[in-house]
Amino acid sequence: MVLTVVSLLAFLLWVRDRYFRLDLAKRELEQQVEDLSRRLEYSNGLKQKITMMIAHDLQSPLHFLNVLSDHVSRFAANNQLPEVKAGTEEIKKATSNIHAFVKEVNLWARSQHENFHPARHSFSFNELAGELQQFFEDMVLLNKNVLLVDCPEDVFVYTNRDILKAILRNLIDNANKHTRGGEVRLVLTNSENGPVLIVRDNGSGMLASELEKIQRRLSNPVVNAPVEPNSRLGYQLVADFAHTLGFTMSVKSSQGAGTSVSIGGLVMHSPFGSWLHSAEVIGVCQPD
């Protein structure tokens, strides 16, 4: 009788232990499935955004390259060798710009991972602005625009240079696309909250509905946020970059009066001296 009771208790303990082991294995398997589903969703979202980013940002340089090719073809047919030489030099420059863009896409894709920590260093903002002016020199002329830079001399910014350049390139490109016979201006100035970068144009501006979507996106950016349909893609990509660097962004615009985009949270620092100005870096997703 005692042996039977002991055997029954041992069996019940074995069943209970087996049940707990199976339940634990089940919960671990469910967690693995959930993690894999999240990674798959992340991967699909990332691929969608990369595809849309390439389609969006390659339009301008490819259009310019197409125009150049037509000109060079016409010059060659007319045996205008100096013009052909100049045109081929411009084509070479355009293809170099496209190569630089592809590198930016790779940088953006890496920046979308949660554990990505961009390297920061001090560099001359004037040199960066000069590179942007050279990059857009021909593209702004196609729209009969001018690109102006307004910033003090010998200003140094402490951040990730490649990502900041990608932010400004997208903003200038977007301003140029929506401006005809006007002005696109890149400004670095000081406000009561610290240094501010501004990209301003006097182009067509935005509808109130467009501006609302952009402002909503900027107010709550997250890593790998989905692409919002029927909204300007350039601002969504810039929001991702700005979030990565801990910058704040704001957009003002009205139809027919142009658009102004402000970037705050910059840190100014010269590698040759002491700190010039340190603005408190606030994550865009954490309102002050």
Side-chain angles (χ1 to χ4, degrees):
M1 184 69 175
V2 174
L3 183 60
T4 301
V5 172
V6 170
S7 300
L8 182 59
L9 288 174
F11 176 74
L12 291 174
L13 289 173
W14 178 84
V15 169
R16 190 181 69 170
D17 180 69
R18 183 64 175 171
Y19 171 80
F20 283 126
R21 288 178 179 273
L22 289 175
D23 184 64
L24 179 61
K26 172 177 170 292
R27 279 184 279 144
E28 290 177 349
L29 183 60
E30 288 175 344
Q31 185 62 48
Q32 291 177 10
V33 171
E34 184 179 342
D35 291 342
L36 289 173
S37 298
R38 184 178 60 85
R39 291 177 185 176
L40 180 61
E41 182 180 359
Y42 174 89
S43 178
N44 289 337
L46 187 60
K47 289 176 182 177
Q48 180 191 21
K49 292 179 76 172
I50 290 175
T51 301
M52 294 186 70
M53 183 179 185
I54 292 174
H56 173 269
D57 276 21
L58 280 182
Q59 288 184 37
S60 292
L62 287 179
H63 172 69
F64 177 64
L65 194 58
N66 182 56
V67 172
L68 278 177
S69 300
D70 288 341
H71 289 329
V72 170
S73 178
R74 187 172 64 255
F75 293 147
N78 296 329
N79 202 29
Q80 297 174 267
L81 296 183
E83 288 79 5
V84 170
K85 182 178 179 181
T88 52
E89 287 296 324
E90 292 299 325
I91 289 176
K92 180 181 179 181
K93 185 190 298 184
T95 54
S96 297
N97 291 339
I98 292 174
H99 177 255
F101 163 73
V102 173
K103 291 174 64 177
E104 283 185 10
V105 172
N106 180 54
L107 173 66
W108 175 83
R110 288 188 288 113
S111 74
Q112 289 298 282
H113 292 282
E114 296 176 354
N115 58 350
F116 177 77
H117 299 289
R120 290 174 168 83
H121 61 278
S122 183
F123 58 89
S124 169
F125 182 79
N126 300 85
E127 290 183 4
L128 178 61
E131 293 174 12
L132 291 168
Q133 283 183 304
Q134 183 178 10
F135 182 88
F136 285 102
E137 180 180 5
D138 298 305
M139 283 184 273
V140 295
L141 286 177
L142 281 177
N143 290 344
K144 297 181 173 57
N145 295 326
V146 291
L147 173 58
L148 304 175
V149 175
D150 182 9
C151 70
E153 295 182 0
D154 300 326
V155 173
F156 289 83
V157 179
Y158 183 79
T159 187
N160 184 282
R161 191 181 195 276
D162 293 333
I163 297 181
L164 178 60
K165 184 177 181 179
I167 291 174
L168 296 177
R169 190 188 63 77
N170 274 277
L171 291 177
I172 294 172
D173 182 59
N174 195 70
N176 182 56
K177 285 179 181 177
H178 296 90
T179 305
R180 293 294 183 274
E183 176 184 291
V184 178
R185 186 178 290 269
L186 172 60
V187 180
L188 177 58
T189 185
N190 275 307
S191 71
E192 58 182 11
N193 295 320
V196 177
L197 268 172
I198 303 171
V199 177
R200 180 187 301 127
D201 67 73
N202 57 356
S204 58
M206 304 181 198
L207 296 172
S209 57
E210 288 182 312
L211 181 60
E212 183 182 356
K213 289 180 181 179
I214 293 171
Q215 290 175 336
R216 183 172 62 248
R217 181 61 175 263
L218 293 177
S219 66
N220 188 32
V222 293
V223 174
N224 195 39
V227 174
E228 185 171 350
N230 302 319
S231 183
R232 296 193 182 186
L233 177 63
Y235 285 103
Q236 299 184 51
L237 302 175
V238 168
D240 291 343
F241 275 132
H243 174 62
T244 299
L245 295 182
F247 291 161
T248 59
M249 280 186 62
S250 62
V251 180
K252 297 179 181 179
S253 182
S254 58
Q255 196 171 14
T259 301
S260 177
V261 183
S262 300
I263 301 172
L266 289 89
V267 176
M268 316 300 290
H269 176 255
S270 171
F272 309 111
S274 59
W275 287 91
L276 300 179
H277 188 97
S278 297
E280 183 181 3
V281 179
I282 305 173
V284 183
C285 59
Q286 299 172 349
D288 186 18

